[in-house]
Each structure stands twice: as C-alpha cells, then as structure tokens.
Amino acid sequence: MISAKRYEDLAIWQLSVELRNRIFKLTETGPAGRDVEFRDHIRKSARSAPDNIAEGFGRFKPRPFAQFLRVARASLMETRSQLQDAIASGYFSEEVTGPLFSLQLRALAGCTRLIKYLESCKGEAPAGWDPNNPFGE
C-alpha cells in the first residue's frame, strides 16, 4: 500500500481541491455570481471538504482523521445539493455540472473507502506512521 506523507498526496484532497477550484471559477460571473447568498453558500461547502481532509490528516490518529473525513463527506454532499439547486435555478446547465458531479462522486467514494480503512486500524496509527516525522523527511 502506498502511504501518503502529506495530505496533498491524498487523491481525495486533490479531487476536492479541483472541485472547489472549478466551483469558484463558475461562480465568478453570471447569474450564480450575482446571487451572493448562493455563491457564498456553494463556495463555503466546496471549500470545506479539502480543509477538513487536511485538518483530519494533521490529527495523526485514525479515529479523529475518520471523523474529519465524515465532515468532508457531508460537505461534498452539500456541494452536490447546491449544484442541483444551481441547475434548478438555471444558473448552470447539466452539461456544465456533469464533470463537477463526477469529481464530487469520486471524492465521496474515496472518503468512504479511507474512513473504512481508518476504522479497521482500531484507533492505532497505521504501521510505519511517525507523528514526529509526518512528512517522512
């Protein structure tokens, strides 16, 4: 198994960041950009997932990390709901949101798999994990 030395190495973080960046770009202009309440809400939920993944990674223990991943999952679901709202409101087309839904689902599935792995660790850090040297340097 390949281990992540930094949260930036995690595919779920990378997918979440890509989703966040695309949502920020889409909400810069147009009707979604002019609806300040909507824009701020979807940006907040999109920003939350990678932040929680990073914060959980920094906890160095499986159980707290898994809890932060659950929060990240919830933020990804909230972002999905906001995208559905954007379609219903006419802000974005299904063609534009299709790739975003794909990113969201991939990040969500990865979070779920990592949560299951962390729960299998039974509260102990995975073998080879050194909290005093989290970057493996």
Side-chain angles (χ1 to χ4, degrees):
M1 170 183 246
I2 297 172
S3 63
K5 302 291 185 194
R6 307 168 315 141
Y7 65 85
E8 294 97 330
D9 297 333
L10 297 169
I12 57 173
W13 183 84
Q14 295 166 10
L15 291 166
S16 297
V17 166
E18 180 65 23
L19 177 62
R20 178 199 66 203
N21 293 347
R22 288 186 185 192
I23 285 173
F24 268 65
K25 184 74 173 160
L26 271 176
T27 57
E28 284 178 354
T29 59
R34 289 189 296 275
D35 184 341
V36 177
E37 185 178 349
F38 170 78
R39 182 197 67 209
D40 291 350
H41 193 156
I42 194 169
R43 284 180 170 190
K44 183 178 179 183
S45 68
R47 179 183 283 140
S48 178
D51 288 350
N52 276 289
I53 293 165
E55 187 171 352
F57 187 89
R59 298 296 170 130
F60 303 122
K61 295 284 185 178
R63 283 189 181 137
F65 187 13
Q67 184 55 36
F68 276 90
L69 289 175
R70 287 183 187 91
V71 174
R73 280 187 93 259
S75 294
L76 288 164
M77 294 301 296
E78 181 180 6
T79 301
R80 182 179 187 82
S81 177
Q82 289 294 313
L83 287 170
Q84 291 167 333
D85 183 40
I87 293 169
S89 299
Y91 295 164
F92 307 136
S93 69
E94 290 186 25
E95 183 178 325
V96 168
T97 56
L100 301 177
F101 284 124
S102 178
L103 283 170
Q104 181 269 341
L105 286 172
R106 290 173 58 204
L108 188 71
C111 280
T112 300
R113 287 191 303 274
L114 185 50
I115 289 167
K116 288 180 181 180
Y117 167 74
L118 292 169
E119 288 173 346
S120 76
C121 294
K122 306 216 185 288
E124 297 300 320
W129 177 254
D130 180 359
N132 296 315
N133 186 17
F135 298 113
E137 298 168 346

